[in-house]
Every structure is written in structure tokens, then in C-alpha cells.
Amino acid sequence: MAKGILKVKAKAAGGKTKVKMMAKHIMETGQRKDKKTGEVIPAKFLQEVKVMHAGKEVFAANLGTAISKNPYFAFNFAGGAKGDELTMTWVENTGATATETAKIK
């Protein structure tokens, strides 16, 4: 498993859970050149991010090269309670993937 890249704040209130999530990721497009060498910097970006709660998918995003560095996501879903766990899975265009967890407060 790769090092965690997701920072998550999730708070349950009134039967809903509000989630704020940032992915610490370079999101390289593959179109820029290295200033020193002149070589093209290879593409390296998140292709997919999914969030699960209690076995159900509550958020999914398909991403590409047009997404900025350190993408930020905010969403709400019905349900969730303090102490419940969210499971986040991300997939990079390079084939790297990881699963991370966060507690709802």
C-alpha cells in the first residue's frame, strides 16, 4: 500500500454526513517539460477516487489531466454516525492504488 495522500474531515449531524477531502497529489499532465533537461515530465494523475460507507458507495469521481494539483472534494451523504469509518480508494494512471480510512466525527 502506498503512503496516504488523502486528508479527510467528516462530520455527522442531522442524519447527514458532510465530507471535505483533499488529495495531496501533483496531478502532472504529461505536457510540461523539465526546465533543466528539456524532457517531457511523464503524466502522473489520479484517475479515480471512491468513498464507501457501510459497504455502500457514497462518492465517486473519474479524474483526468485537467484537474489541478492537490484536488479538493466536498460532498454530503445521507446517514453516517460519529465513529463510523469511511473507506477511500484511489487509482493513479501509473497503476498505483491505495485504500485509506477516516473516522466520522
Side-chain angles (χ1 to χ4, degrees), residues 7-11 18-21 86 102-103:
K7 290 180 91 175
V8 179
K9 289 184 180 179
K11 187 172 183 177
K18 185 175 184 177
V19 180
K20 296 177 182 179
M21 179 170 64
L86 298 176
K103 295 266 186 199

Side-chain angles (χ1 to χ4, degrees), residues 37-104:
T37 65
E39 293 181 20
V40 174
I41 300 169
K44 184 175 183 180
F45 57 90
L46 295 175
Q47 283 186 312
E48 186 177 303
V49 176
K50 286 185 183 179
V51 179
M52 306 284 286
H53 172 260
K56 290 186 175 181
E57 186 177 282
V58 294
F59 176 81
N62 292 314
L63 310 172
T65 59
I67 305 299
S68 69
K69 178 180 179 179
N70 301 329
Y72 173 81
F73 308 94
F75 61 94
N76 300 318
F77 66 91
K82 184 177 181 177
D84 286 358
E85 194 169 76
L86 298 176
T87 303
M88 294 83 55
T89 304
W90 55 264
V91 179
E92 201 175 66
N93 72 308
T94 62
T97 185
T99 299
E100 303 178 31
T101 59
K103 295 266 186 199
I104 297 174

